[in-house]
Every structure is written in C-alpha cells, then in structure tokens.
C-alpha cells in the first residue's frame, strides 16, 4: 500500500505541511481506520512525516471517532426508549440489568474489542446506549487506541511496506480468529476448572475480577497514559530528566535509586518528635550485619517488634515487621542489599500525605491525603485463613499476594471472632486498601507538614507515610510518626480509592506530574543540574536487580 499521493504533495508553506498531513490522516480515520493508520506509520518510518505528528494525527482521529459512536448511541439511540412503541423491542427491566452488567464488565470489553476484529462497533454503541460513564469510556478507549496505534507504527518500522499485506491477511482471518478465541477461552476455563478443581476456578474468577477493576490493572497498562503525559511535559519543559531536580536535596529528586536512610536521617535531625527512628545496618556478611543490628537495638533501646526494610526500594517491597531475632537473622541471610532498622510505629492508623512547595514560595500545601485501611479477615472457628481470603469479595482479587505472604499460616483455623491482619506495609501493591483522606485535612496539619518540609534542605515535593493514633490528633498536627518520605516518583495514592473513576485518577496524576515538572524547571532556572539520563538508567537497573533479592513484604 502506498501512502495517498495527496499527502506527498508539497505545499507552499512548509511549516504547515506536517500539521496538514497529520490532520488529513486523522480525518480519513473517520471513514476507514486501517488505511490512514498504516499510511501514517509508513510515512513516519520513511522519514516523510514526523513520528509525533503522524502518531497524534491518527490517534486523535480514531479516538474522536470512537467518541462519536458513543455519543450517537447515547444521544440518539437512548432517547428512543422513551417512546411507547419501543417497549415492543426493549424490556426496561432487561435494559437496567444490562446497564449494571456493562458497568461491571465494560472496561474489559472495551479494551479487548479494540484488538478483536468486528467487535468495536457493537461494543462502542452498546457502551453509549447502556450509559457507561463517558469519562471511563474515553479513558479506556484512549489507552487501547494508543497501544494499537503504537503497535502499527512499530510494525511499520520493522517490516516496512509489507505491513499492508500482513494486515489485510489478518483482517480476512479476523472472523475465524474471533470464533477460535471465544471457543478457546471457554474450553480453557473448563479445562482449568476440571484439572485444578475449585482452586483453579477461583483463580480464573479472581483474574477476571481484576480485569474489570482498574485499580488492579497491570502497571504497564495503567501507566501508559501517564507515560504519554510525561513525554508531553518533557517536551514542554525541554528535558526528560527535569523531575530529577524537583528535590535537589535527594538523589535524582527521588525518581529512582534514592536512599531512604538519607531522608530519614534528615527528618530525625530536624523533626525528631515526628519521625520513627531508623538506623543503617552495617557489615558485609550476615553474621556481621546481625552483630550490627544487635548493637543498634541495645544502643537505642529498640524493642521487638521492629521493622527491617531495604534502604533502596519501591512499592513497599521487602518491608518486614520483625517479631523475633530468628526472623531478623533469616532476613539478613536472604539478601545482601543495604538495610535499615526502624522503630516500629504501631499507629494503628496510617496515611499518605502528598506535599508540594515551589522554590519561590514561603508556604507549601498538601496536594492529597490517602487514608490507608489494613485489610483483615475474621475467623469463624472452622475455616482456614486461605478459605477466608477467598470468600472475601475484595481480598480474593489479590489472594495471591496475601497467601504468598502468609506462607504456612494459610492453613491455620482462627477461632471464631479472631481478626487476622493480611498486610502490614501501607502500600497498595501489597494489598493495602486506599481511600481518599481529604476529610483529614486541616490548617494545623498543613502548617505542621510545611514546617517539617521546610526543615529538609532541597525538598519541595513528595509523599510522607505517617502512622498515628487518632484522627483528631492528626488534624491538630500532633502525635504522629513519619515512617518514610518519598520524592518525585511518589504518587498521590488517593487515586486508588475504588470510588474514584479512572478519569479522575488520571486527572490527579497528570496534575501531580505537572507540579513535579514545574518545580523541577524552577529549580533548574536557579542553577540546579538534572541527573544525567545514563546514571538514571544504571540506578534503575541496579535497583531492579536488588529488588529481586528482597523477601516477601509483610
């Protein structure tokens, strides 16, 4: 397939040529998607059109077309139900039931329909007719279109003009592929249930349940729009590494490879009354490190239980609540990574407070507060912990994480009424439940967090993880303990509140990264130098290798 000749004609104004070509390709997608998308990919791979212009042209055109299908079904098709004659064809009770079903399964259907020939039109029309949230529709289809379009562009770079013939063959086989895929999925689920019994069936249902709950999507899928927004901000601020100077006092600004001990040491020095003490465990061998740990416990009067965690980590990996010295020795023998020991802050409550301040401002602000709920199951005197986990509506969605952490305890039978806590680390990836904690904000708390933050040299944006006893103490800005401070790569984790829409989550993340880039750019103007990209890459690889050696978190 050759790109349309019209797109190759020179125009009088060369500066406008890429925009005109991209706009033309985008408009053509409203008629037929495949030809203009392949044409754009071939033009980009041949260097005749900039990659960014080509991609954005067809991406926005396809996305706009998807939105039009939704709006037509909702704006024209849905009002037809108000007419009396429509009852011959549509049962209102059945329509309401379909709406509830689509609200639960719609995300997964929208994602898969983009990649299964012949299913997009009916799925998108159904989404509009059954009144799926427009914001959710746009977020999911935008993600799917981005993945699809990027795949076409990568194929064009790899196979060149042969891409057209390859896609045409795939289109002819699409109907049979859809039938085969459906039959294969049904047969596979039956086979899994037959081979693995109820256990396999539960795992399949949990997998499907995670698919329709965006908070459990795999990171590569959920963060795709965030990555695209990052690139947009990098272009605007002229630098991919601008976020590394958002916090000049933290290595890489807290983007990757920063030391938890370094920030905790600063906090202990400037705000000792609000920080859970932490100390670096020294030594090269397990025996040397155990001796160092014993000395720290004695010197600083740290009692059991205490916390051991990696000095470099992310998403709560490797965090262990140590209840015996034998458990501590086993941890030290399992990894050679630098570790720190921290006084246990019992809480029992925990929040994440995301804070920011621009370099030219004298007062910072709280951007978001996350209330963390540690999930539990209650014993009934006859069921094992594993059985209780699988019965819980939410716990079963991350049962693999909980049961791997519980180990041999999964077979225990708790007494009736006994409460079993499933997670100690206040991290969503470890199974902690997150809720929007905006109701905990107060002027006193914001003033306290701002005072603590201004005491840390070179810190402007990030998230405090805080343990505290009661809500009133927290709002009053007293009687809490900081257990960790994360920099530029941390999140306003309130987005993971299951009551949030996907669109609201992305809106918060986009605003958060706008702040990170803006603060980084301001510090760069003041003379701060970003961390070189090569060093960031090396640190990321080192951190990834270290994380593989960490034990399962509590």
């Amino acid at each position: 397939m050759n790109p349309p000749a019209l797109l190759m004609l020179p125009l009088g104004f060369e500066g406008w040529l890429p925009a005109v070509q991209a706009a033309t390709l985008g408009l053509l997608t409203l008629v037929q998607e495949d030809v203009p998308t392949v044409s754009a990919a071939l033009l980009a791979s041949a260097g005749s059109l900039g990659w960014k212009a080509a991609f954005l042209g067809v991406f926005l055109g396809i996305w706009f077309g998807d939105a039009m299908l939704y709006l037509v079904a909702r704006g024209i098709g849905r009002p037809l139900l108000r007419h009396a004659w429509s009852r011959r064809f549509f049962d209102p009770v059945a329509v309401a039931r379909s709406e509830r079903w689509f609200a639960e399964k719609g995300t997964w259907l929208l994602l898969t329909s983009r990649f299964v020939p012949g299913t997009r039109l009916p799925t998108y029309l159904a989404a509009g007719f059954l009144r799926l949230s427009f914001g959710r529709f746009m977020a999911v289809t935008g993600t799917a279109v981005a993945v699809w379009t990027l795949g076409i562009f990568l194929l064009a770079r790899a196979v060149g003009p042969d891409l057209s013939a390859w896609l045409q063959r795939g289109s002819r086989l699409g109907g049979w592929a859809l039938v085969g895929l459906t039959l294969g999925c049904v047969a596979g689920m039956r086979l899994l249930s037959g081979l693995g019994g109820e256990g396999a069936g539960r795992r399949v249902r949990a997998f499907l349940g995670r698919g329709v709950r965006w908070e459990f999507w795999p990171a590569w899928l959920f963060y795709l729009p965030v990555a695209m927004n990052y690139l947009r901000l990098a272009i605007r601020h002229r630098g991919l590494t601008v976020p590394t100077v958002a916090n000049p006092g933290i290595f890489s600004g807290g983007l990757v490879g920063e030391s938890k001990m370094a920030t905790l040491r600063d906090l202990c020095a400037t705000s000792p009354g609000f920080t859970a003490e932490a100390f670096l465990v020294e030594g090269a061998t397990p025996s040397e490190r155990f001796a160092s740990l014993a000395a720290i416990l004695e010197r600083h009067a740290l009692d059991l239980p205490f916390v051991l965690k990696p000095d470099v980590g992310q998403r709560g990996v490797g965090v262990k609540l140590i209840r015996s010295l034998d458990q501590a020795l086993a941890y030290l023998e399992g990894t050679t990574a630098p570790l720190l020991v921290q006084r246990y802050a019992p809480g029992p409550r925990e929040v994440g407070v995301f804070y920011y301040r621009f370099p030219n401002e004298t007062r910072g602000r709280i951007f978001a507060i996350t209330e963390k709920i540690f999930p539990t199951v209650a014993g009934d005197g006859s069921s094992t912990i594993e059985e209780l986990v699988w019965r819980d509506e939410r716990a079963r969605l991350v049962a693999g994480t909980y049961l791997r952490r519980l180990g041999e305890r999964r077979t225990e039978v708790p007494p009736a009424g006994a409460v079993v806590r499933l997670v100690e680390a206040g991290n969503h990836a470890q199974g902690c439940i997150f809720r929007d904690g905006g109701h905990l904000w107060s002027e006193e708390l914001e003033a306290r967090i701002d005072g603590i933050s201004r005491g840390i040299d070179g810190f402007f944006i990030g998230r405090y993880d805080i343990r505290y006893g009661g809500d009133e103490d927290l709002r009053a800005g007293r009687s809490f303990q900081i257990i960790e401070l994360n920099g530029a790569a941390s999140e306003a984790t309130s987005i993971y509140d299951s009551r949030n829409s996907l669109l609201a989550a992305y809106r918060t993340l986009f605003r958060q990264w706008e702040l990170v880039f803006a603060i980084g750019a301001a510090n760069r103007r003041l003379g701060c130098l970003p961390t070189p990209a090569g060093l960031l890459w090396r640190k990321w690889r080192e951190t990834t290798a270290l994380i593989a050696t960490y034990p399962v978190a509590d």
Side-chain angles (χ1 to χ4, degrees), residues 36-250:
T37 303
V38 173
S39 298
L42 293 175
L43 285 169
S45 63
S48 301
L49 181 60
W51 191 94
K52 178 184 174 183
F55 179 88
L56 286 178
V58 293
F59 167 77
L60 293 175
I62 295 172
W63 199 17
F64 177 77
D66 293 347
M68 292 303 297
L69 288 174
Y70 173 97
L71 293 173
V72 166
R74 183 158 183 171
I76 298 177
R78 186 69 188 197
L80 294 177
L81 290 180
R82 291 197 292 264
H83 296 282
W85 61 264
S86 67
R87 295 176 184 173
R88 294 182 179 181
F89 307 97
F90 300 103
D91 179 5
V93 175
V95 171
R97 186 166 58 247
S98 298
E99 285 181 350
R100 292 193 296 271
W101 183 88
F102 207 94
E104 295 178 359
K105 311 295 183 182
T107 297
W108 179 249
L109 290 174
L110 290 172
L111 284 172
T112 55
S113 66
R114 168 52 56 183
F115 306 96
V116 180
T119 62
R120 287 197 296 273
L121 179 62
T123 303
Y124 291 0
L125 291 176
F129 185 78
L130 296 175
R131 297 190 296 193
L132 185 73
S133 163
F134 183 62
R136 181 177 171 190
F137 176 88
M138 293 301 292
V140 175
T141 55
T143 300
V145 170
V147 174
W148 168 260
T149 309
L150 182 60
I152 297 296
F153 273 63
L154 293 176
L155 282 173
R157 181 179 289 266
V159 303
D162 293 336
L163 174 63
S164 174
W166 185 83
L167 287 177
Q168 287 175 354
R169 288 195 297 271
S171 179
R172 288 195 296 269
L173 294 174
W176 290 108
L178 176 59
V179 174
L181 178 64
T182 303
L183 293 176
C185 288
V186 172
M189 291 180 67
R190 288 178 177 261
L191 180 62
L192 280 172
S193 298
L195 291 177
E198 177 59 21
R202 289 184 307 200
R203 287 191 292 273
V204 171
R205 289 193 294 272
F207 173 78
L208 295 176
R210 290 193 296 272
V212 299
R213 297 271 296 268
W214 65 264
E215 62 171 313
F216 297 112
W217 285 359
W220 67 264
L221 176 61
F222 176 74
Y223 285 107
L224 180 62
V226 181
M228 295 174 63
N229 183 61
Y230 186 103
L231 292 175
R232 177 185 69 85
L233 292 169
I235 293 171
R236 177 197 292 180
H237 292 280
R238 301 186 303 281
L240 279 170
T241 59
V242 171
T244 63
V245 283
N247 296 308
I250 302 176

Side-chain angles (χ1 to χ4, degrees), residues 390-409:
W390 281 113
R391 287 178 197 162
D392 187 274
E393 183 176 350
R394 187 183 189 279
R396 64 174 175 237
L397 299 179
V398 284
T401 300
Y402 294 145
L403 298 177
R404 185 169 58 252
R405 177 184 300 122
L406 289 165
E408 296 180 356
R409 290 192 63 205

Side-chain angles (χ1 to χ4, degrees), residues 302-364:
L302 264 66
D303 298 322
L304 291 167
F306 55 82
V307 175
L308 277 177
K309 59 184 175 182
D311 185 38
V312 178
Q314 56 187 11
R315 302 176 72 84
V317 293
V319 177
K320 299 286 285 186
L321 180 61
I322 304 299
R323 295 180 173 86
S324 71
L325 293 181
D326 288 341
Q327 187 183 8
L329 180 59
Y331 190 116
L332 296 173
E333 291 174 340
T335 179
T336 59
L339 302 174
L340 57 89
V341 55
Q342 187 172 41
R343 190 183 301 277
Y344 178 57
R349 303 180 182 184
E350 183 173 331
V351 291
V353 179
F354 198 95
Y355 164 91
Y356 73 97
R357 177 174 67 89
F358 282 87
N360 61 337
E361 294 181 339
T362 58
R363 176 75 183 265

Side-chain angles (χ1 to χ4, degrees), residues 182-499:
T182 303
L183 293 176
C185 288
V186 172
M189 291 180 67
R190 288 178 177 261
L191 180 62
L192 280 172
S193 298
L195 291 177
E198 177 59 21
R202 289 184 307 200
R203 287 191 292 273
V204 171
R205 289 193 294 272
F207 173 78
L208 295 176
R210 290 193 296 272
V212 299
R213 297 271 296 268
W214 65 264
E215 62 171 313
F216 297 112
W217 285 359
W220 67 264
L221 176 61
F222 176 74
Y223 285 107
L224 180 62
V226 181
M228 295 174 63
N229 183 61
Y230 186 103
L231 292 175
R232 177 185 69 85
L233 292 169
I235 293 171
R236 177 197 292 180
H237 292 280
R238 301 186 303 281
L240 279 170
T241 59
V242 171
T244 63
V245 283
N247 296 308
I250 302 176
F251 174 77
S252 77
L255 205 62
V256 64
E258 74 276 15
S259 166
K260 297 180 187 298
M261 188 65 244
T263 53
L264 285 169
R265 187 181 293 117
D266 289 343
L267 283 165
C268 285
T270 57
S271 303
F274 294 96
T275 308
E277 290 180 291
F279 308 93
L280 193 64
V281 178
E282 300 178 344
T285 66
S287 59
E288 291 175 350
R289 300 214 291 175
F290 187 75
S292 172
L293 173 62
I296 291 171
L297 298 179
E298 181 178 1
R299 185 181 313 120
H300 298 283
L302 264 66
D303 298 322
L304 291 167
F306 55 82
V307 175
L308 277 177
K309 59 184 175 182
D311 185 38
V312 178
Q314 56 187 11
R315 302 176 72 84
V317 293
V319 177
K320 299 286 285 186
L321 180 61
I322 304 299
R323 295 180 173 86
S324 71
L325 293 181
D326 288 341
Q327 187 183 8
L329 180 59
Y331 190 116
L332 296 173
E333 291 174 340
T335 179
T336 59
L339 302 174
L340 57 89
V341 55
Q342 187 172 41
R343 190 183 301 277
Y344 178 57
R349 303 180 182 184
E350 183 173 331
V351 291
V353 179
F354 198 95
Y355 164 91
Y356 73 97
R357 177 174 67 89
F358 282 87
N360 61 337
E361 294 181 339
T362 58
R363 176 75 183 265
R365 301 174 181 85
I366 290 177
F367 178 73
I369 301 177
T370 304
E371 188 176 14
K372 303 183 181 184
I373 301 173
F374 296 92
T376 61
V377 290
D380 58 10
S382 61
S383 303
T384 65
I385 295 178
E386 180 173 5
E387 291 170 336
L388 295 171
V389 167
W390 281 113
R391 287 178 197 162
D392 187 274
E393 183 176 350
R394 187 183 189 279
R396 64 174 175 237
L397 299 179
V398 284
T401 300
Y402 294 145
L403 298 177
R404 185 169 58 252
R405 177 184 300 122
L406 289 165
E408 296 180 356
R409 290 192 63 205
R410 66 171 68 186
T411 60
E412 291 181 11
V413 179
V419 176
V420 179
R421 186 159 163 167
L422 299 177
V423 61
E424 289 289 342
N427 191 282
H428 189 266
Q430 303 303 329
C432 191
I433 301 171
F434 285 1
R435 293 285 184 265
D436 190 328
H439 64 281
L440 296 171
W441 180 92
S442 70
E443 292 184 0
E444 293 80 8
L445 176 60
E446 185 169 84
R448 177 68 68 186
I449 294 297
D450 181 55
I452 292 172
S453 301
R454 286 186 287 108
I456 306 172
D457 187 37
F459 172 70
F460 294 96
I461 186 166
R463 189 191 69 240
Y464 290 94
D465 292 331
I466 294 172
R467 287 280 177 97
Y468 67 102
D471 290 351
E472 290 309 313
D473 284 340
L474 182 69
R475 291 192 188 97
R478 61 173 184 261
S479 300
F480 61 78
Q481 292 280 284
I482 299 168
I483 58 175
E484 202 162 296
L485 171 59
N486 303 279
S490 59
E491 289 181 327
T493 48
S494 56
I495 63 169
Y496 292 109
D497 189 326
S498 60
R499 297 168 295 186

